[in-house]
Amino acid sequence: MQARKPQAASIFAPKTPAPANPIPSSSPAFGTPAHTLRPFAVAPPTKATILPILLPPATLRPLAFRTFTKKHSLTLTSSALQELATFIGRHCGSGWREEGLAEKVLEEVAKSWKNRNGGVIVDGASNELKDILKTLEGNMSGGRIVTGRELNRQNSLVLDSSQEADLSNTRLGIRPTKALSRGDSNASFGMSGLGVEEEERDDEGLSHPRKWLKVISAYDQPRLLYNVTKKHFEKYNVIHQRLLRNESFQSSTVATTKAVPSLKRSTSSNLTTQQSYKITPIANLLGRHGSHHMLLGLLSALPTGNLAISDLTGTISLDLAHAVAIPEDSAWFTPGMIVLVDGVYEEEEESTGKGLGGSNGVGGIIGGRFQGFFIGQPPCEKRKATLGVSGPDDHTIGGGFGWIDFLGVGSERAVGSKMRKLEQRIVRQSKRTQSSTLDSTLEAPSSARVVVIGELNLDQPRALQALRKILTVYSTEPEGSSPMTFVLMGNFTQHAVMAGGGASGGSVEYKEYFDALASVLSDFPTLLQSATFVFVPGDNDGWASSFGAGAAVPLPRKPVPDLFTSRVRRAFAAANAEPGGGARPGGEAVWTSNPARLSVFGPAHEIVLFRDDMSARMRRTAVRLKTSNPGADEENQENEPPAATANGDSEDIDMMANALDSTDAMDVDLVKPPGAAEPAVPHDVRTARKLVKTILDQGYLCPFRHAIRPAHWDHATALHLYPLPTAMVLADPTAPPFCVTYEGCHVMNPGAVLVAGRRGVGRWVEYELGRTGRVRECLF
């Protein structure tokens, strides 16, 4: 029998459980809680059980179409629809339709795809979509997206400073200051990494426009790869899709007519309503002798010396003996350009029945010829129409390429509106600062200016004297109002250097020229401290001149080597080291490629810098056309001008002019009403308008044959002008200096810094952001 232990009174008080609500001790000495506070515990969300279902893609298609296509202007492929249907069926279950779970998931996927700049087409095999679904899967509970657990989409394992503070407060038992709400979703979309905040710090360095200036070389610009299957980013397809968005080439589904569209007026004085034009592929001309068509293709020269036009389907001989340019004498037409030709197909007797030959051409040469009566440039498209934005606040109007980042500075729809607000705030702040230091009656010049100096031949002493005078003009301006950028464009020598005994010498002389430039720049330390100097080479500059000998070298061409520009860089370093520079970022010298681009405030301002003798090359290689203007230049005429044209011909010309200028005509090539007296336009203005319209309508900086002006295929996308830039600097000494605006793009030509025929006169162009440029001159 087991003995029982005697029960003794315990000397320790029994342990009492800690109260649910701890009460601080009443001890006046310590004032500490009687029991240790428990850490603040966040109750885990109750995760509802979801029964997965098999959701057919066809059932999800209407909802996906309404969310992706109608609301976000995106296109879903069949593979992407399959991936979304599988994901929603697995994580949303049977309540995907009744509870609206699928709509929220699709909305989140569409927004994440746009913020990743995934493009217009959502592909199911892309890594971006898989990453989005994987991130979304970790933030779902019970078929719903839990916003309180959203992390940064760039790195889901990294917390920002505010989230780290809340996490530490939670561990210490202190309630978080604020919960992560839906308003913080900008960070989850990666917007915080763009450096654009609504409330930017009033730092002196950030409040200057030059802080937001970026020089983009042609070799640093994002490359747009050519898709052989879909034919994306090919020159012909870019112009063709741009042309199909023009109202004159869109067929109406309401008012239809059996008559063949022709470039004529109706019997009344008004244009034919709902008149549309149709582009005919060249291969479709077979067996249609005597029929009227409009072709869009590449103008080329055959080995026999005749002209031809080619598209993706074939090639046909082209006869322009009786063709008239529409609008007349408004643009150049050279082999290598994409042109619109309106005329009649004539099938030769000996070629009847031969069909399409596969031995020559893109798709073969078609027998016969195409008799062209009218020829014109494909209509240009404004920048806002291309990007799909409209209005002062850049509202989305659908379509376009607004989500594509063409320059690597952010897309228009992602950061465009924020950058414009930032620009307005900085400009207002700059004006207030300048008005406080100057007399109220005087208007201080803006610091958001770009000074362009063209054809700066350093081997000419007079060119350095002109440069010194120009820099003196800006060095005397009030402090804080000097231009933010000086663009110095080549050729930096009159003749090709290192070309085997050239007039400009070799490498030693070439370096001495830049040493002389450095000595001139050193006399203006204030400008070197406050401005960015951009140097764009020409065909006579090294190293390309060593094998080109001054001839046209392939585009784009690389900058001047650092071997020759060390003294110039040393001058900037010495100026920035001087006291009194302030908190602003110091000046710098940037040696870039030809062509290059300036981006100011992201996608808000895009300026193209290009140095080429474009006008002279156009005159040498242009096709001569028939003209009805007796005062036209002889170089543009093939035959004697006719005495008069018939009334029907004049109506045809005016009709196609309206078709090709259906977009808002700017101050270039305005369509005059019939019978109105046309004011006399100076020859230099006509030449400038003709050159600008040709380049911008082509949307390409090198619209010539490869034997005339070659291009590097790997970097040919840097030569595209699509979408149109906000401004363009075309340094062409063979054309008169001008400042012209066409379809919202402001084009400037500073010409040569030394004015021909006027001794002691220097010339340059001054451009203010968002406004127009002006040609300035000075005496030295």
Side-chain angles (χ1 to χ4, degrees), residues 83-84 87 109 128-137:
E83 291 288 338
L84 292 174
F87 181 85
V109 172
E128 289 81 1
L129 182 60
K130 295 179 181 178
D131 293 341
I132 292 173
L133 295 180
K134 185 177 180 180
T135 305
L136 197 61
E137 182 179 3

Side-chain angles (χ1 to χ4, degrees), residues 63-189:
L63 182 60
F65 176 79
R66 185 164 62 250
T67 303
F68 277 82
T69 305
K70 285 192 173 182
K71 188 174 182 180
H72 294 280
S73 301
L74 297 175
T75 302
L76 275 177
T77 61
S78 58
S79 59
L81 184 62
Q82 178 65 44
E83 291 288 338
L84 292 174
T86 305
F87 181 85
I88 293 175
R90 182 186 304 119
H91 295 89
C92 297
S94 58
W96 69 273
R97 188 199 300 269
E98 290 79 3
E99 300 179 13
L101 304 179
E103 186 176 0
K104 296 180 181 179
V105 171
L106 294 176
E107 181 74 18
E108 185 71 17
V109 172
K111 290 181 179 179
S112 301
W113 179 270
K114 281 188 173 182
N115 284 278
R116 289 171 178 257
N117 293 328
V120 181
I121 300 177
V122 182
D123 191 3
S126 62
N127 295 327
E128 289 81 1
L129 182 60
K130 295 179 181 178
D131 293 341
I132 292 173
L133 295 180
K134 185 177 180 180
T135 305
L136 197 61
E137 182 179 3
N139 294 330
M140 293 191 66
S141 176
R144 290 178 171 82
I145 302 175
V146 182
T147 59
R149 292 191 296 166
E150 285 191 13
L151 301 179
N152 195 325
R153 298 186 188 275
Q154 300 293 335
N155 188 351
S156 60
L157 300 178
V158 178
L159 297 174
D160 58 11
S161 58
S162 61
Q163 291 173 333
E164 288 180 355
D166 290 342
L167 182 60
S168 61
N169 291 341
T170 301
R171 291 173 178 173
L172 292 176
I174 305 174
R175 187 172 298 275
T177 56
K178 61 178 181 178
L180 182 62
S181 62
R182 190 63 183 174
D184 299 322
S185 59
N186 281 344
S188 68
F189 288 141

